[in-house]
Amino acid sequence: MKSIIVTGCSSGIGAYCAEALKGDGWRVFATVRKREDLAALEARGLEALLMDYTDPGSIEALVATVFERTGGRLDALFNNGAYGQPGAVEDLPTDALRAQFETNLFGWHDLTRRVIPAMRAQGSGRIVQCSSILGIIPYRWRGAYTASKFALEGLSLTLRMELEGSGVQVSLIEPGPIESRFTANALTHIRQAIDLENSVHAQEYRRQLARLDGTGPVNRHKLGPDAVYKVLTHALTARRARPHYLVTKPARQGAFIKRWLPADLFYRLMRSLD
């Protein structure tokens, strides 16, 4: 039975993919940050473990536990746990930007480095990073999240090249809008970190808050997490996994337009989007 670590399994993409992988015959080690989220995963027959990307000790403990249970083997890692810190770049406290990178990049790097030696030793492995279309194209009011995903893209593609010939393959999944608690979590973070009322962008923030709290327009292109699982299975099982997997119509359109439009025209187009 092949084994995989899936992070960020309390809800959304992680929860769905962990359960679907188990149904497809994988041994799934599903991680969450909060102890109270363990029971729901265990009830579904998953091996649930605590891990927080901002806590190196918890990352070390996770890997040690997994290797103890598997005899030192691991077939795949799906880095997925992340959050989005909304807010205009000029309003963004540097500490909030650091926190975004701790969870969305540095913790992923730490966990990934800890499993690569085992994959190299066995001559095979898959590392799949759940990035975002915002790792390819920028979007207003999402500078911190965009920066973390741009960095993840560069780091992961470099790692993919460096692992060539080792039997370990690295892929990036780049979803657009997916049904999850992502926007609800973003609402919490914007209220905690951004001075919404005293910003020059106060009026824009009111519109942003409506989108995040569900009172604004509904994104008709939003898909369920099964759309991510469809490409995840390819990245995990194909003889030659792709470097990029775009998910949702907006993601594919955005990547296509960026490739073919002149840069200035493309960024003017992006500035016009809400």
Side-chain angles (χ1 to χ4, degrees):
M1 180 184 293
K2 287 190 173 183
S3 58
I4 185 171
I5 295 173
V6 180
T7 70
C9 295
S10 62
S11 65
I13 292 171
Y16 182 92
C17 290
E19 190 166 7
L21 284 163
K22 183 180 184 300
D24 283 344
W26 286 77
R27 183 178 185 182
V28 181
F29 298 96
T31 80
V32 291
R33 290 187 304 112
K34 299 176 181 178
R35 189 169 298 277
E36 56 264 33
D37 291 329
L38 291 172
L41 295 175
E42 290 168 345
R44 285 176 263 171
L46 297 164
E47 296 183 60
L49 297 165
L50 291 173
M51 194 277 293
D52 185 337
Y53 278 127
T54 67
D55 179 0
S58 76
I59 298 172
E60 181 180 14
L62 166 70
V63 175
T65 299
V66 169
F67 284 160
E68 182 181 3
R69 294 184 186 182
T70 65
R73 286 189 60 89
L74 185 71
D75 295 290
L77 166 65
F78 181 36
N79 275 312
N80 165 74
Y83 74 93
Q85 172 63 68
V89 173
E90 66 186 291
D91 291 335
L92 188 69
T94 303
D95 284 346
L97 183 60
R98 287 195 185 99
Q100 182 79 111
F101 270 70
E102 284 291 344
T103 295
N104 290 14
L105 183 71
F106 301 144
W108 291 35
H109 176 59
D110 189 352
L111 176 55
T112 301
R113 286 187 67 244
R114 291 178 187 275
V115 304
I116 286 176
M119 292 181 175
R120 277 192 176 275
Q122 66 203 27
S124 64
R126 300 294 169 101
I127 298 167
V128 184
Q129 313 278 53
C130 194
S131 180
S132 168
I133 185 57
L134 298 189
I136 298 173
I137 62 176
Y139 195 72
R140 292 188 306 160
W141 327 118
R142 299 293 186 274
Y145 183 74
T146 297
S148 72
K149 292 301 185 181
F150 263 66
L152 176 68
E153 294 267 333
L155 200 68
S156 300
L157 292 171
T158 302
L159 178 62
R160 178 184 171 94
M161 292 188 289
E162 292 167 351
L163 288 172
E164 187 69 35
S166 70
V168 184
Q169 299 185 45
V170 180
S171 297
L172 289 149
I173 296 177
E174 292 130 347
I178 298 290
E179 291 284 354
S180 71
R181 291 210 305 243
F182 189 86
T183 54
N185 292 334
L187 184 62
T188 299
H189 286 286
I190 192 173
R191 285 175 169 159
Q192 288 176 344
I194 306 298
D195 185 354
L196 299 170
E197 294 303 321
N198 294 313
S199 168
V200 296
H201 302 292
Q203 183 175 351
E204 174 59 35
Y205 285 146
R206 283 190 280 275
R207 292 201 307 130
Q208 292 294 313
L209 290 173
R211 293 180 63 187
L212 293 172
D213 68 14
T215 61
V218 175
N219 190 326
R220 59 189 176 88
H221 296 295
K222 187 174 286 189
L223 298 180
D226 56 303
V228 174
Y229 187 66
K230 181 178 179 180
V231 299
L232 174 62
T233 55
H234 188 278
L236 292 174
T237 61
R239 186 182 67 83
R240 181 70 176 171
R242 301 171 194 161
H244 300 278
Y245 291 88
L246 291 160
V247 182
T248 74
K249 184 177 179 180
R252 291 190 294 271
Q253 288 177 333
F256 178 83
I257 293 169
K258 182 183 180 183
R259 179 179 299 173
W260 295 108
L261 280 185
D264 185 60
L265 181 57
F266 172 74
Y267 293 123
R268 274 190 283 150
L269 173 64
M270 291 305 298
R271 283 198 299 272
S272 71
L273 299 179
D274 287 334

